[in-house]
Amino acid sequence: MLMRSPSLLRYGIYGVFSVSLLWAASIGFGQSGARAVDSARLRQAPADEWLSYGRDQAETHFSPLRQIDATNVSRLSLAFTSDTESSAGNLEATPIVANGVVYTSLAWGELYAADARTGRRWDPEIPRTPEARPSMCCGAVNRGVAIYNGKIFASLINGRLVALDAETGKLVWSEQTTDPSSDMTITSAVRVVKGKVIVGTAGAEFANRGYFSAYDAETGKIAWRFYTVPGDPSKPFEHPELAEAAKTWTGEWWKAGGGGTVWDGMAYDADADLLYVGTGNGAPWNRMYRSPGGGDNLYLCSILAVKPDTGKLVWHFQTTPGESWDYTSVQSLILADLNIGGRARKVIMQAPKNGFFYVLDRLTGEFISAEPYSEVTWATGVDPKTGRPIEAPGVRYPEGSVVISPGSAGGHNWQPMAFSPVTGLVYIPGSNNSRVYTSTPDFVPQKGKQVTGVQMNSFAEGISPAGARITNKGNFLKAWDPIAQKARWIVPQMGGFSGVLATAGNLVFAASDGRLTAFSADKGEKLWEGPVAPGASTPITYSLDGKQYVGVLAGRGSAQAPSKFYSFALDGNTPTPR
Ligand code: CA
Protein backbone atom coordinates (compact mmCIF):
# COMPACT_ATOMS: atom_id res chain seq x y z
CA MET A 1 0.00 0.00 0.00
CA LEU A 2 1.32 3.37 -0.96
CA MET A 3 -1.06 5.87 0.46
CA ARG A 4 -1.28 4.95 4.10
CA SER A 5 -3.75 6.56 6.40
CA PRO A 6 -1.00 7.68 8.85
CA SER A 7 0.44 9.93 6.15
CA LEU A 8 -3.01 11.24 5.37
CA LEU A 9 -3.44 11.99 9.02
CA ARG A 10 -0.08 13.70 9.00
CA TYR A 11 -1.34 15.92 6.21
CA GLY A 12 -4.33 16.43 8.38
CA ILE A 13 -2.01 17.99 10.91
CA TYR A 14 0.08 19.96 8.45
CA GLY A 15 -2.86 21.03 6.34
CA VAL A 16 -2.80 21.73 2.64
CA PHE A 17 0.20 20.40 0.76
CA SER A 18 1.64 21.47 -2.50
CA VAL A 19 2.35 19.18 -5.43
CA SER A 20 5.50 20.58 -6.90
CA LEU A 21 7.76 17.56 -6.52
CA LEU A 22 7.70 14.38 -8.54
CA TRP A 23 4.90 12.43 -10.16
CA ALA A 24 4.61 9.24 -8.15
CA ALA A 25 8.11 7.79 -8.33
CA SER A 26 9.20 9.09 -4.97
CA ILE A 27 6.52 7.13 -3.20
CA GLY A 28 7.89 3.85 -4.48
CA PHE A 29 5.18 3.15 -7.01
CA GLY A 30 5.93 -0.24 -8.54
CA GLN A 31 8.15 -1.34 -5.68
CA SER A 32 5.63 -2.23 -3.03
CA GLY A 33 3.24 -4.65 -4.65
CA ALA A 34 1.41 -2.27 -6.96
CA ARG A 35 -1.05 -4.40 -8.92
CA ALA A 36 -1.01 -4.18 -12.68
CA VAL A 37 -4.19 -2.76 -14.13
CA ASP A 38 -4.96 -5.29 -16.86
CA SER A 39 -8.19 -6.21 -18.67
CA ALA A 40 -9.19 -8.66 -15.92
CA ARG A 41 -8.80 -6.02 -13.23
CA LEU A 42 -10.67 -3.40 -15.23
CA ARG A 43 -13.50 -5.92 -15.63
CA GLN A 44 -13.44 -6.83 -11.94
CA ALA A 45 -13.46 -3.15 -10.87
CA PRO A 46 -12.26 -3.74 -7.27
CA ALA A 47 -14.37 -1.84 -4.74
CA ASP A 48 -11.48 -0.04 -3.03
CA GLU A 49 -10.32 1.68 -6.21
CA TRP A 50 -11.80 3.82 -8.99
CA LEU A 51 -10.04 2.32 -11.98
CA SER A 52 -11.95 3.89 -14.86
CA TYR A 53 -14.18 6.84 -15.68
CA GLY A 54 -17.45 5.33 -14.42
CA ARG A 55 -15.60 3.15 -11.82
CA ASP A 56 -16.75 -0.01 -13.61
CA GLN A 57 -17.16 -0.88 -17.28
CA ALA A 58 -20.94 -0.56 -16.92
CA GLU A 59 -20.14 3.12 -16.10
CA THR A 60 -22.45 3.17 -13.07
CA HIS A 61 -20.53 5.80 -11.08
CA PHE A 62 -21.58 3.56 -8.17
CA SER A 63 -19.28 2.23 -5.46
CA PRO A 64 -19.99 -0.81 -3.26
CA LEU A 65 -18.09 0.88 -0.39
CA ARG A 66 -20.26 1.42 2.69
CA GLN A 67 -18.04 2.50 5.56
CA ILE A 68 -19.47 5.97 5.02
CA ASP A 69 -23.23 5.55 5.10
CA ALA A 70 -26.46 7.43 5.69
CA THR A 71 -26.21 6.91 9.47
CA ASN A 72 -22.70 8.34 9.91
CA VAL A 73 -22.17 10.72 6.98
CA SER A 74 -22.69 13.65 9.37
CA ARG A 75 -19.15 12.87 10.64
CA LEU A 76 -17.66 13.37 7.17
CA SER A 77 -14.98 16.07 7.12
CA LEU A 78 -11.96 17.07 5.10
CA ALA A 79 -9.05 14.62 5.27
CA PHE A 80 -6.75 16.55 2.94
CA THR A 81 -6.62 18.81 -0.08
CA SER A 82 -4.05 18.76 -2.83
CA ASP A 83 -3.37 21.78 -5.00
CA THR A 84 -3.43 20.71 -8.66
CA GLU A 85 -1.76 23.91 -9.93
CA SER A 86 -4.16 23.79 -12.87
CA SER A 87 -4.25 26.59 -15.39
CA ALA A 88 -7.41 28.64 -15.57
CA GLY A 89 -10.30 26.63 -16.94
CA ASN A 90 -13.23 24.49 -15.96
CA LEU A 91 -12.80 21.02 -14.50
CA GLU A 92 -15.02 18.27 -15.83
CA ALA A 93 -12.91 15.19 -15.11
CA THR A 94 -13.81 12.21 -12.99
CA PRO A 95 -10.44 11.29 -11.38
CA ILE A 96 -9.32 7.67 -11.21
CA VAL A 97 -7.59 5.96 -8.26
CA ALA A 98 -5.22 3.01 -8.74
CA ASN A 99 -2.63 1.61 -6.37
CA GLY A 100 -3.09 4.49 -3.97
CA VAL A 101 -2.49 7.19 -6.57
CA VAL A 102 -5.06 9.70 -7.82
CA TYR A 103 -4.76 10.58 -11.51
CA THR A 104 -6.77 13.14 -13.40
CA SER A 105 -6.83 15.54 -16.31
CA LEU A 106 -7.32 19.26 -15.65
CA ALA A 107 -7.85 22.15 -18.07
CA TRP A 108 -5.76 22.46 -21.25
CA GLY A 109 -4.75 18.81 -21.22
CA GLU A 110 -2.72 19.20 -18.05
CA LEU A 111 -2.48 15.96 -16.14
CA TYR A 112 -2.07 15.42 -12.43
CA ALA A 113 -1.09 12.58 -10.16
CA ALA A 114 -0.85 12.63 -6.39
CA ASP A 115 -0.78 10.55 -3.27
CA ALA A 116 -0.78 11.80 0.26
CA ARG A 117 2.80 12.90 -0.07
CA THR A 118 3.50 14.03 -3.63
CA GLY A 119 2.27 14.50 -7.18
CA ARG A 120 3.00 16.33 -10.39
CA ARG A 121 1.36 18.17 -13.24
CA TRP A 122 2.22 17.24 -16.81
CA ASP A 123 1.76 20.13 -19.19
CA PRO A 124 1.51 19.23 -22.90
CA GLU A 125 2.24 22.89 -23.74
CA ILE A 126 -0.73 23.34 -26.04
CA PRO A 127 -0.66 26.80 -27.67
CA ARG A 128 -3.49 28.79 -26.18
CA THR A 129 -3.85 31.69 -28.60
CA PRO A 130 -6.92 31.39 -30.85
CA GLU A 131 -4.73 31.49 -33.99
CA ALA A 132 -2.62 28.53 -32.89
CA ARG A 133 -5.24 26.07 -31.73
CA PRO A 134 -8.58 24.63 -32.87
CA SER A 135 -11.67 26.74 -32.22
CA MET A 136 -13.59 25.39 -29.24
CA CYS A 137 -17.27 25.62 -28.44
CA CYS A 138 -17.09 24.99 -24.74
CA GLY A 139 -13.69 25.56 -23.15
CA ALA A 140 -10.44 23.58 -22.92
CA VAL A 141 -12.04 20.92 -20.75
CA ASN A 142 -11.30 17.21 -20.42
CA ARG A 143 -13.34 14.54 -18.68
CA GLY A 144 -10.70 12.08 -17.60
CA VAL A 145 -7.81 9.69 -18.04
CA ALA A 146 -7.52 5.90 -18.22
CA ILE A 147 -4.97 3.50 -16.74
CA TYR A 148 -3.83 0.22 -18.27
CA ASN A 149 -0.71 -1.89 -18.03
CA GLY A 150 1.52 0.71 -16.39
CA LYS A 151 0.41 3.65 -18.51
CA ILE A 152 -1.92 6.60 -18.13
CA PHE A 153 -3.80 7.60 -21.29
CA ALA A 154 -5.30 11.01 -21.98
CA SER A 155 -6.83 12.84 -24.91
CA LEU A 156 -5.93 16.48 -25.33
CA ILE A 157 -7.95 19.44 -26.56
CA ASN A 158 -5.73 19.71 -29.66
CA GLY A 159 -6.60 16.18 -30.79
CA ARG A 160 -3.56 14.38 -29.48
CA LEU A 161 -3.76 11.08 -27.63
CA VAL A 162 -0.90 10.55 -25.17
CA ALA A 163 0.41 7.63 -23.11
CA LEU A 164 2.46 8.41 -20.00
CA ASP A 165 4.40 6.08 -17.75
CA ALA A 166 2.13 5.71 -14.70
CA GLU A 167 5.13 5.60 -12.35
CA THR A 168 7.12 8.54 -13.63
CA GLY A 169 4.72 10.66 -15.67
CA LYS A 170 7.11 10.50 -18.64
CA LEU A 171 5.64 10.59 -22.13
CA VAL A 172 5.73 7.11 -23.74
CA TRP A 173 3.92 7.87 -27.00
CA SER A 174 1.81 10.58 -28.58
CA GLU A 175 -0.46 10.33 -31.62
CA GLN A 176 -2.31 13.07 -33.44
CA THR A 177 -5.85 11.67 -33.80
CA THR A 178 -7.36 14.62 -35.69
CA ASP A 179 -6.47 16.79 -38.65
CA PRO A 180 -4.50 19.54 -36.91
CA SER A 181 -5.68 22.12 -39.46
CA SER A 182 -9.31 21.42 -38.52
CA ASP A 183 -11.41 22.66 -35.62
CA MET A 184 -11.74 19.16 -34.22
CA THR A 185 -11.02 18.87 -30.50
CA ILE A 186 -11.29 16.11 -27.90
CA THR A 187 -12.94 16.54 -24.51
CA SER A 188 -14.14 13.05 -23.59
CA ALA A 189 -12.49 10.70 -21.15
CA VAL A 190 -10.58 7.90 -22.84
CA ARG A 191 -11.37 4.26 -22.07
CA VAL A 192 -9.26 1.12 -22.49
CA VAL A 193 -10.99 -2.01 -23.77
CA LYS A 194 -9.08 -5.22 -24.53
CA GLY A 195 -5.76 -3.41 -24.80
CA LYS A 196 -7.14 -0.69 -27.07
CA VAL A 197 -7.50 2.95 -26.14
CA ILE A 198 -10.85 4.29 -27.30
CA VAL A 199 -10.82 7.99 -28.09
CA GLY A 200 -13.57 10.30 -29.35
CA THR A 201 -13.89 13.69 -31.02
CA ALA A 202 -15.64 16.99 -30.25
CA GLY A 203 -16.63 20.09 -32.17
CA ALA A 204 -19.86 19.55 -34.13
CA GLU A 205 -20.60 23.25 -33.75
CA PHE A 206 -17.91 23.64 -36.43
CA ALA A 207 -17.61 22.05 -39.87
CA ASN A 208 -16.47 18.67 -38.55
CA ARG A 209 -17.20 15.05 -39.35
CA GLY A 210 -17.40 12.91 -36.20
CA TYR A 211 -15.62 9.65 -35.49
CA PHE A 212 -14.13 7.57 -32.72
CA SER A 213 -10.98 5.50 -32.92
CA ALA A 214 -9.10 2.66 -31.23
CA TYR A 215 -5.34 2.76 -30.68
CA ASP A 216 -3.07 -0.02 -29.47
CA ALA A 217 -2.23 0.77 -25.83
CA GLU A 218 1.37 -0.44 -26.15
CA THR A 219 2.41 1.09 -29.45
CA GLY A 220 0.00 3.93 -30.12
CA LYS A 221 -0.74 2.46 -33.53
CA ILE A 222 -4.29 3.01 -34.80
CA ALA A 223 -6.36 -0.19 -34.85
CA TRP A 224 -9.60 1.12 -36.38
CA ARG A 225 -11.72 4.24 -36.82
CA PHE A 226 -15.50 4.45 -37.02
CA TYR A 227 -16.92 7.51 -38.79
CA THR A 228 -20.32 8.35 -37.39
CA VAL A 229 -21.55 10.11 -40.55
CA PRO A 230 -20.88 9.41 -44.23
CA GLY A 231 -18.36 11.47 -46.18
CA ASP A 232 -18.40 12.53 -49.83
CA PRO A 233 -20.19 9.67 -51.67
CA SER A 234 -18.09 10.25 -54.82
CA LYS A 235 -15.22 8.68 -52.87
CA PRO A 236 -15.27 5.14 -51.41
CA PHE A 237 -16.88 4.86 -47.97
CA GLU A 238 -14.34 4.04 -45.26
CA HIS A 239 -16.50 1.19 -43.88
CA PRO A 240 -19.70 -0.52 -45.04
CA GLU A 241 -21.94 0.97 -42.34
CA LEU A 242 -21.53 4.35 -44.05
CA ALA A 243 -23.19 3.15 -47.26
CA GLU A 244 -26.28 2.40 -45.17
CA ALA A 245 -26.03 5.71 -43.37
CA ALA A 246 -25.69 7.66 -46.65
CA LYS A 247 -29.19 6.51 -47.68
CA THR A 248 -30.56 8.67 -44.84
CA TRP A 249 -28.87 11.92 -45.99
CA THR A 250 -29.74 14.31 -48.83
CA GLY A 251 -28.05 17.18 -50.63
CA GLU A 252 -24.33 17.87 -50.17
CA TRP A 253 -24.13 17.09 -46.48
CA TRP A 254 -20.37 16.39 -46.43
CA LYS A 255 -19.49 20.00 -47.23
CA ALA A 256 -20.17 21.17 -43.65
CA GLY A 257 -18.84 17.98 -42.06
CA GLY A 258 -22.14 16.50 -40.90
CA GLY A 259 -21.26 16.41 -37.19
CA GLY A 260 -21.86 13.39 -34.98
CA THR A 261 -18.85 13.88 -32.72
CA VAL A 262 -18.28 11.49 -29.82
CA TRP A 263 -17.54 13.57 -26.74
CA ASP A 264 -18.79 11.71 -23.71
CA GLY A 265 -20.68 8.49 -22.98
CA MET A 266 -19.19 5.03 -23.52
CA ALA A 267 -19.59 1.67 -21.76
CA TYR A 268 -18.41 -1.91 -22.27
CA ASP A 269 -20.13 -5.26 -21.71
CA ALA A 270 -17.35 -7.84 -21.47
CA ASP A 271 -19.80 -10.80 -21.62
CA ALA A 272 -21.37 -9.59 -24.83
CA ASP A 273 -18.04 -8.10 -25.98
CA LEU A 274 -19.82 -4.93 -27.05
CA LEU A 275 -18.52 -1.39 -26.77
CA TYR A 276 -21.24 1.25 -26.57
CA VAL A 277 -20.69 4.81 -27.79
CA GLY A 278 -23.03 7.81 -27.96
CA THR A 279 -22.92 10.27 -30.88
CA GLY A 280 -23.58 13.98 -31.08
CA ASN A 281 -25.58 16.56 -32.99
CA GLY A 282 -25.57 17.43 -36.66
CA ALA A 283 -23.32 20.06 -38.24
CA PRO A 284 -25.01 22.40 -39.01
CA TRP A 285 -27.64 21.95 -36.30
CA ASN A 286 -30.36 23.00 -38.73
CA ARG A 287 -31.19 20.00 -40.93
CA MET A 288 -32.57 22.36 -43.58
CA TYR A 289 -28.96 23.40 -44.31
CA ARG A 290 -27.38 19.99 -43.72
CA SER A 291 -29.70 17.59 -45.50
CA PRO A 292 -32.27 19.77 -47.26
CA GLY A 293 -34.32 16.88 -48.60
CA GLY A 294 -34.86 15.54 -45.07
CA GLY A 295 -33.81 12.14 -43.76
CA ASP A 296 -32.87 10.65 -40.41
CA ASN A 297 -29.16 11.39 -40.91
CA LEU A 298 -27.60 8.30 -39.40
CA TYR A 299 -25.63 7.95 -37.18
CA LEU A 300 -26.24 11.35 -35.58
CA CYS A 301 -27.66 11.38 -32.05
CA SER A 302 -27.43 7.63 -31.72
CA ILE A 303 -26.29 4.90 -29.40
CA LEU A 304 -23.93 2.55 -31.27
CA ALA A 305 -22.85 -0.96 -30.24
CA VAL A 306 -19.59 -2.04 -31.89
CA LYS A 307 -17.11 -4.90 -31.57
CA PRO A 308 -14.05 -3.51 -29.78
CA ASP A 309 -11.59 -5.65 -31.77
CA THR A 310 -12.72 -4.32 -35.15
CA GLY A 311 -15.07 -1.36 -34.72
CA LYS A 312 -17.75 -3.26 -36.67
CA LEU A 313 -21.26 -2.03 -35.94
CA VAL A 314 -23.58 -4.59 -34.30
CA TRP A 315 -26.63 -2.39 -33.73
CA HIS A 316 -27.63 1.26 -33.58
CA PHE A 317 -30.49 3.20 -32.06
CA GLN A 318 -31.14 6.82 -33.00
CA THR A 319 -32.74 8.86 -30.23
CA THR A 320 -33.38 11.99 -32.36
CA PRO A 321 -33.86 11.30 -36.10
CA GLY A 322 -33.14 14.31 -38.32
CA GLU A 323 -31.70 16.22 -35.36
CA SER A 324 -32.01 20.04 -35.54
CA TRP A 325 -31.66 21.26 -31.95
CA ASP A 326 -28.18 20.18 -30.72
CA TYR A 327 -29.86 17.17 -29.08
CA THR A 328 -26.72 15.08 -28.65
CA SER A 329 -26.98 11.48 -27.58
CA VAL A 330 -23.47 11.44 -26.13
CA GLN A 331 -24.63 11.63 -22.52
CA SER A 332 -23.73 8.95 -19.91
CA LEU A 333 -24.42 5.39 -20.96
CA ILE A 334 -25.08 2.98 -18.09
CA LEU A 335 -25.47 -0.80 -18.29
CA ALA A 336 -27.73 -2.60 -15.82
CA ASP A 337 -29.58 -5.87 -15.37
CA LEU A 338 -33.24 -5.09 -14.67
CA ASN A 339 -36.38 -7.14 -14.23
CA ILE A 340 -38.92 -5.57 -16.57
CA GLY A 341 -42.39 -7.06 -16.91
CA GLY A 342 -41.26 -10.31 -15.29
CA ARG A 343 -38.32 -10.66 -17.66
CA ALA A 344 -34.63 -10.31 -16.82
CA ARG A 345 -33.30 -7.74 -19.25
CA LYS A 346 -29.74 -6.63 -19.93
CA VAL A 347 -30.29 -2.96 -20.61
CA ILE A 348 -28.44 0.18 -21.57
CA MET A 349 -29.80 3.46 -20.23
CA GLN A 350 -29.34 7.05 -21.32
CA ALA A 351 -30.79 10.49 -20.55
CA PRO A 352 -29.74 12.28 -23.76
CA LYS A 353 -30.21 16.01 -24.31
CA ASN A 354 -33.63 15.51 -25.93
CA GLY A 355 -35.27 15.07 -22.51
CA PHE A 356 -36.41 11.43 -22.74
CA PHE A 357 -34.93 8.68 -20.58
CA TYR A 358 -34.26 5.62 -22.74
CA VAL A 359 -34.08 1.97 -21.74
CA LEU A 360 -32.88 -0.37 -24.52
CA ASP A 361 -31.95 -4.03 -24.69
CA ARG A 362 -28.17 -3.76 -24.84
CA LEU A 363 -27.65 -7.07 -26.68
CA THR A 364 -29.97 -6.23 -29.58
CA GLY A 365 -30.65 -2.49 -29.42
CA GLU A 366 -34.37 -3.23 -29.08
CA PHE A 367 -36.36 -0.28 -27.74
CA ILE A 368 -37.93 -1.00 -24.34
CA SER A 369 -39.21 2.35 -23.06
CA ALA A 370 -38.72 6.13 -22.96
CA GLU A 371 -40.40 8.82 -20.85
CA PRO A 372 -39.52 12.48 -20.25
CA TYR A 373 -37.15 13.07 -17.33
CA SER A 374 -37.09 16.86 -17.86
CA GLU A 375 -39.42 19.47 -19.31
CA VAL A 376 -40.13 18.42 -22.93
CA THR A 377 -42.18 20.38 -25.46
CA TRP A 378 -40.49 19.47 -28.76
CA ALA A 379 -42.17 16.04 -28.85
CA THR A 380 -45.38 14.73 -27.36
CA GLY A 381 -43.90 11.34 -26.55
CA VAL A 382 -41.99 8.39 -27.98
CA ASP A 383 -43.74 5.78 -30.07
CA PRO A 384 -43.80 2.65 -27.88
CA LYS A 385 -43.32 0.33 -30.86
CA THR A 386 -40.62 2.08 -32.89
CA GLY A 387 -38.93 4.23 -30.26
CA ARG A 388 -39.24 7.27 -32.55
CA PRO A 389 -40.11 10.59 -30.96
CA ILE A 390 -43.48 12.10 -31.95
CA GLU A 391 -42.55 15.65 -32.94
CA ALA A 392 -44.70 18.62 -32.00
CA PRO A 393 -45.96 20.77 -34.92
CA GLY A 394 -43.63 23.57 -36.14
CA VAL A 395 -40.69 22.30 -34.17
CA ARG A 396 -38.31 22.33 -37.16
CA TYR A 397 -38.45 26.14 -37.52
CA PRO A 398 -38.36 26.10 -41.35
CA GLU A 399 -39.01 29.84 -41.33
CA GLY A 400 -38.89 32.11 -38.33
CA SER A 401 -38.50 30.88 -34.77
CA VAL A 402 -39.67 28.27 -32.36
CA VAL A 403 -39.24 28.12 -28.57
CA ILE A 404 -38.96 24.60 -27.23
CA SER A 405 -37.74 22.58 -24.27
CA PRO A 406 -35.18 21.31 -23.74
CA GLY A 407 -32.93 23.96 -25.27
CA SER A 408 -29.49 23.21 -26.63
CA ALA A 409 -28.17 22.76 -23.07
CA GLY A 410 -30.26 19.60 -23.00
CA GLY A 411 -32.24 18.02 -20.19
CA HIS A 412 -28.90 16.45 -19.25
CA ASN A 413 -25.42 17.39 -20.39
CA TRP A 414 -21.86 16.18 -19.62
CA GLN A 415 -22.37 15.61 -15.91
CA PRO A 416 -22.29 11.84 -15.34
CA MET A 417 -25.43 10.26 -13.91
CA ALA A 418 -25.12 7.29 -11.53
CA PHE A 419 -27.02 4.02 -11.06
CA SER A 420 -27.32 2.20 -7.74
CA PRO A 421 -28.10 -1.52 -8.00
CA VAL A 422 -29.10 -1.30 -4.30
CA THR A 423 -31.95 1.19 -4.80
CA GLY A 424 -32.46 0.37 -8.48
CA LEU A 425 -32.52 4.11 -9.19
CA VAL A 426 -30.65 6.29 -11.68
CA TYR A 427 -29.53 9.66 -10.31
CA ILE A 428 -29.78 12.26 -13.06
CA PRO A 429 -28.11 15.68 -12.80
CA GLY A 430 -30.40 17.51 -15.21
CA SER A 431 -32.14 20.79 -15.92
CA ASN A 432 -35.34 22.29 -17.24
CA ASN A 433 -34.47 24.81 -19.92
CA SER A 434 -35.66 26.13 -23.24
CA ARG A 435 -34.33 28.11 -26.16
CA VAL A 436 -35.36 30.06 -29.22
CA TYR A 437 -34.31 28.40 -32.47
CA THR A 438 -34.24 30.80 -35.44
CA SER A 439 -32.85 29.82 -38.84
CA THR A 440 -29.87 31.82 -40.07
CA PRO A 441 -30.80 33.30 -43.44
CA ASP A 442 -28.26 32.87 -46.28
CA PHE A 443 -26.22 30.37 -44.28
CA VAL A 444 -22.64 29.73 -45.45
CA PRO A 445 -20.36 27.49 -43.36
CA GLN A 446 -17.00 29.11 -42.59
CA LYS A 447 -13.89 27.64 -41.00
CA GLY A 448 -13.37 28.71 -37.42
CA LYS A 449 -16.94 29.95 -37.11
CA GLN A 450 -19.75 28.08 -35.48
CA VAL A 451 -21.79 26.56 -38.30
CA THR A 452 -25.06 25.80 -36.58
CA GLY A 453 -27.37 27.45 -39.14
CA VAL A 454 -29.21 28.85 -36.14
CA GLN A 455 -29.01 32.38 -34.78
CA MET A 456 -26.77 31.93 -31.78
CA ASN A 457 -27.71 35.13 -29.99
CA SER A 458 -31.39 34.38 -29.65
CA PHE A 459 -31.88 32.76 -26.31
CA ALA A 460 -34.86 32.48 -24.11
CA GLU A 461 -33.99 30.49 -21.06
CA GLY A 462 -31.14 28.45 -22.39
CA ILE A 463 -27.42 28.16 -22.53
CA SER A 464 -25.15 29.18 -25.33
CA PRO A 465 -22.86 26.51 -26.80
CA ALA A 466 -20.00 28.48 -25.25
CA GLY A 467 -21.64 28.05 -21.88
CA ALA A 468 -21.73 31.82 -21.52
CA ARG A 469 -25.31 32.41 -20.52
CA ILE A 470 -26.93 30.12 -18.04
CA THR A 471 -30.39 31.34 -17.23
CA ASN A 472 -32.31 28.13 -17.04
CA LYS A 473 -35.29 27.39 -14.89
CA GLY A 474 -33.29 25.32 -12.48
CA ASN A 475 -30.99 22.37 -12.35
CA PHE A 476 -32.30 19.33 -10.58
CA LEU A 477 -31.08 16.08 -9.15
CA LYS A 478 -33.67 13.44 -9.94
CA ALA A 479 -33.80 9.84 -8.69
CA TRP A 480 -35.31 7.98 -11.63
CA ASP A 481 -36.89 4.54 -11.56
CA PRO A 482 -35.87 3.09 -14.95
CA ILE A 483 -38.43 0.27 -14.78
CA ALA A 484 -41.48 2.40 -13.90
CA GLN A 485 -39.98 5.32 -15.91
CA LYS A 486 -40.78 7.91 -13.28
CA ALA A 487 -39.09 10.03 -10.64
CA ARG A 488 -38.92 8.72 -7.07
CA TRP A 489 -37.52 11.92 -5.61
CA ILE A 490 -36.33 15.31 -6.86
CA VAL A 491 -34.02 17.95 -5.45
CA PRO A 492 -35.01 21.09 -7.39
CA GLN A 493 -32.85 24.22 -7.79
CA MET A 494 -29.49 22.54 -7.31
CA GLY A 495 -27.61 25.44 -8.92
CA GLY A 496 -24.78 24.83 -11.38
CA PHE A 497 -23.51 21.42 -10.50
CA SER A 498 -21.37 18.38 -10.99
CA GLY A 499 -21.89 14.78 -11.90
CA VAL A 500 -23.16 12.27 -9.37
CA LEU A 501 -21.68 9.50 -7.22
CA ALA A 502 -23.88 6.79 -5.65
CA THR A 503 -22.67 4.37 -2.97
CA ALA A 504 -23.85 1.21 -1.21
CA GLY A 505 -23.95 3.28 1.98
CA ASN A 506 -27.37 4.56 0.79
CA LEU A 507 -25.73 7.80 -0.29
CA VAL A 508 -25.70 10.03 -3.34
CA PHE A 509 -23.09 12.79 -3.61
CA ALA A 510 -23.22 15.82 -5.89
CA ALA A 511 -21.36 19.11 -5.78
CA SER A 512 -22.99 22.45 -6.45
CA ASP A 513 -21.94 26.08 -6.13
CA GLY A 514 -19.12 25.60 -3.65
CA ARG A 515 -20.37 22.68 -1.64
CA LEU A 516 -20.36 18.91 -1.79
CA THR A 517 -23.67 17.47 -0.61
CA ALA A 518 -24.72 13.97 0.46
CA PHE A 519 -28.32 12.83 0.05
CA SER A 520 -29.90 9.57 1.13
CA ALA A 521 -30.08 7.41 -1.99
CA ASP A 522 -33.53 6.01 -1.23
CA LYS A 523 -35.32 9.22 -0.22
CA GLY A 524 -33.24 12.20 -1.32
CA GLU A 525 -32.92 13.64 2.18
CA LYS A 526 -30.03 16.06 2.55
CA LEU A 527 -27.76 14.52 5.16
CA TRP A 528 -24.48 16.45 4.96
CA GLU A 529 -22.65 19.15 3.10
CA GLY A 530 -19.05 20.36 3.08
CA PRO A 531 -17.36 23.31 1.39
CA VAL A 532 -15.33 22.89 -1.81
CA ALA A 533 -14.22 25.46 -4.38
CA PRO A 534 -16.84 26.46 -6.98
CA GLY A 535 -16.62 24.61 -10.29
CA ALA A 536 -16.59 21.06 -8.92
CA SER A 537 -16.45 18.03 -11.17
CA THR A 538 -17.78 14.55 -10.39
CA PRO A 539 -17.16 12.99 -6.93
CA ILE A 540 -15.55 9.58 -6.53
CA THR A 541 -14.88 7.28 -3.57
CA TYR A 542 -12.07 4.88 -2.72
CA SER A 543 -10.63 3.05 0.26
CA LEU A 544 -7.05 2.81 1.52
CA ASP A 545 -5.94 0.76 4.50
CA GLY A 546 -9.51 0.27 5.56
CA LYS A 547 -10.50 3.93 5.38
CA GLN A 548 -13.06 5.20 2.87
CA TYR A 549 -12.55 8.57 1.22
CA VAL A 550 -14.86 10.70 -0.92
CA GLY A 551 -12.84 12.79 -3.36
CA VAL A 552 -13.76 15.59 -5.72
CA LEU A 553 -11.87 17.89 -8.04
CA ALA A 554 -12.99 21.53 -7.74
CA GLY A 555 -11.92 25.04 -8.69
CA ARG A 556 -11.35 27.11 -11.79
CA GLY A 557 -7.58 27.48 -11.76
CA SER A 558 -7.93 31.13 -10.81
CA ALA A 559 -6.56 33.07 -7.85
CA GLN A 560 -10.09 33.26 -6.43
CA ALA A 561 -10.82 29.57 -6.96
CA PRO A 562 -7.57 27.55 -7.23
CA SER A 563 -8.12 23.99 -8.41
CA LYS A 564 -7.74 21.34 -5.75
CA PHE A 565 -8.45 17.67 -5.20
CA TYR A 566 -10.49 17.45 -2.00
CA SER A 567 -10.70 14.23 -0.03
CA PHE A 568 -13.17 13.69 2.80
CA ALA A 569 -13.30 10.88 5.38
CA LEU A 570 -15.15 10.12 8.59
CA ASP A 571 -13.66 12.27 11.34
CA GLY A 572 -11.17 13.86 8.95
CA ASN A 573 -9.62 16.73 10.81
CA THR A 574 -8.05 19.15 8.33
CA PRO A 575 -9.27 22.70 8.78
CA THR A 576 -11.21 23.90 5.76
CA PRO A 577 -8.82 25.63 3.34
CA ARG A 578 -9.47 29.25 2.53
CA1 CA B 1 -23.28 20.34 -29.68
Coordinates of all heavy atoms in Angstrom, one line a residue, residues 205 281 285 326 328 353, ligand 1:
E205 N -20.1 21.9 -33.5 CA -20.6 23.3 -33.8 C -19.8 23.9 -34.9 O -20.1 25.0 -35.3 CB -20.5 24.1 -32.5 CG -21.7 24.0 -31.6 CD -21.9 22.6 -31.1 OE1 -21.1 22.1 -30.4 OE2 -23.0 22.1 -31.4
N281 N -24.6 15.8 -32.1 CA -25.6 16.6 -33.0 C -25.0 16.7 -34.4 O -23.9 16.5 -34.7 CB -25.8 18.0 -32.4 CG -24.6 18.8 -32.2 OD1 -23.9 18.6 -31.2 ND2 -24.3 19.6 -33.2
W285 N -26.5 22.4 -37.1 CA -27.6 22.0 -36.3 C -28.9 21.8 -37.2 O -29.6 20.8 -37.1 CB -28.0 23.0 -35.2 CG -27.0 23.1 -34.1 CD1 -25.8 22.4 -33.9 CD2 -27.2 23.9 -32.9 NE1 -25.3 22.8 -32.8 CE2 -26.1 23.7 -32.1 CE3 -28.2 24.8 -32.5 CZ2 -25.9 24.4 -30.9 CZ3 -28.0 25.4 -31.3 CH2 -26.9 25.2 -30.5
D326 N -29.4 20.5 -31.6 CA -28.2 20.2 -30.7 C -28.5 19.1 -29.7 O -28.0 19.1 -28.6 CB -27.6 21.4 -30.0 CG -26.2 21.2 -29.5 OD1 -25.5 20.3 -29.9 OD2 -25.8 22.0 -28.6
T328 N -27.7 16.2 -28.6 CA -26.7 15.1 -28.7 C -27.2 13.9 -27.9 O -28.0 14.0 -26.9 CB -25.4 15.5 -28.0 OG1 -25.7 15.8 -26.6 CG2 -24.8 16.8 -28.7
K353 N -29.8 14.6 -24.4 CA -30.2 16.0 -24.3 C -31.7 16.2 -24.6 O -32.3 17.1 -24.2 CB -29.4 16.9 -25.3 CG -28.1 17.4 -24.7 CD -27.6 18.5 -25.7 CE -26.2 19.0 -25.3 NZ -25.7 20.0 -26.4
Ligands
CA1 CA -23.3 20.3 -29.7

